[in-house]
Amino acid sequence: QSLLTQPPSASGTPGQRVTISCSGTSSNIGSNSVNWYQQLPGTAPKLLIYSDNQRPSGVPDRFSGSKSDTSASLAISGLQSEDEADYYCSSWADSLNGPIFGGGTKLTVL
Amino acid sequence: EVQLVQSGAEVKKPGESLRISCKGSGYTFTNYWINWVRQMPGKGLEWVGRIDPSDSYTNYNPAFHAHVSISTDKSINTAYLQWSSLTSSDTAIYYCSRVSVGYYGPQDYWGQGTPVTVSS
């Protein structure tokens, strides 16, 4: 069961900007930072954004994150075909004493 | 280079036991927590539990606690996820991941995943 809510799908054309939302509660996103993971088909997840809006080394600046209250967003600008993947938000859940994930958003590049 | 290398795919029957492994290299293994994450076929990511390799302290997702066990052998930089009696609903890919900073940090490195199939 997913405690963070994401849209199941998103799409865009090459060069376009797309955003993926992630909604939580005061006991997860509202009081903890948000991380985003990218999972390319058939591969392991990869850390894309951490601490709401920080990019690990090697992640292009086309990817950006933001957070407000109990919601977060991932934005991808200059969409490329290789961005086609599943994207998961994650935050710490105080009630679980562990990390929780959103259900994932499948991004299609048309 | 930080790497987490997991053991290979497993095919088991219901009721059998299983232990899968995750070997860390390229960093001080005892300085970072290790998570286990489940991904059922066509589904999303679920946190199973985590372990501190320095002292083997664990905490589990209550949904999994009664069914799995997490351990570590720090002498060989390896963490384990274990079942004593598998069921068909354990069929999934299991990933290990490293927690980057402290207790609450993001998961910065992931293993390649271990597919587990449980079928009679």
Side-chain angles (χ1 to χ4, degrees):
Chain A
Q1 68 284 12
S2 303
L3 298 182
L4 303 180
T5 302
Q6 297 180 235
S9 64
S11 63
T13 56
Q16 216 174 17
R17 181 178 187 271
V18 297
T19 61
I20 297 172
S21 62
C22 175
S23 178
T25 69
S26 58
S27 63
N28 43 66
I29 291 178
S31 52
N32 299 287
S33 61
V34 175
N35 309 307
W36 289 89
Y37 300 91
Q38 177 193 57
Q39 187 175 34
L40 297 169
T43 69
K46 167 192 165 185
L47 180 63
L48 195 65
I49 297 287
Y50 68 96
S51 296
D52 301 337
N53 55 19
Q54 302 298 301
R55 284 187 308 277
S57 173
V59 173
D61 60 6
R62 302 186 294 106
F63 295 91
S64 62
S66 63
K67 188 181 90 168
S68 178
D69 296 328
T70 59
S71 294
S73 290
L74 172 70
I76 309 171
S77 60
L79 197 62
Q80 300 179 3
S81 58
E82 55 260 41
D83 298 333
E84 195 160 278
D86 294 324
Y87 293 84
Y88 294 91
C89 61
S90 178
S91 184
W92 188 264
D94 296 336
S95 59
L96 190 63
N97 194 25
I100 53 169
F101 295 92
T105 298
K106 183 176 184 62
L107 175 64
T108 301
V109 180
L110 302 170
Chain B
E1 177 196 7
V2 174
Q3 281 192 308
L4 295 173
V5 178
Q6 298 185 229
S7 49
E10 300 276 1
V11 179
K12 292 288 189 179
K13 290 181 166 45
E16 291 186 332
S17 63
L18 174 64
R19 188 178 77 168
I20 62 176
S21 66
C22 169
K23 183 175 177 62
S25 63
Y27 71 101
T28 302
F29 187 70
T30 51
N31 285 356
Y32 298 85
W33 286 73
I34 292 286
N35 278 323
W36 285 96
V37 174
R38 181 177 81 171
Q39 187 168 38
M40 298 180 77
K43 301 298 184 182
L45 306 173
E46 300 172 273
W47 176 65
V48 174
R50 55 172 44 188
I51 189 164
D52 179 350
S54 68
D55 61 7
S56 294
Y57 178 82
T58 54
N59 76 296
Y60 295 88
N61 183 332
F64 294 90
H65 195 181
H67 193 52
V68 300
S69 175
I70 296 172
S71 60
T72 186
D73 184 341
K74 59 185 179 182
S75 70
I76 55 171
N77 291 353
T78 300
Y80 302 98
L81 178 64
Q82 183 169 331
W83 296 259
S84 59
S85 181
L86 289 158
T87 70
S88 59
S89 60
D90 294 316
T91 294
I93 298 175
Y94 292 85
Y95 296 100
C96 64
S97 63
R98 188 185 84 160
V99 179
S100 69
V101 178
Y103 188 70
Y104 303 99
Q107 299 167 64
D108 60 351
Y109 288 91
W110 293 66
Q112 81 277 21
T114 297
V116 173
T117 302
V118 183
S119 175
S120 54

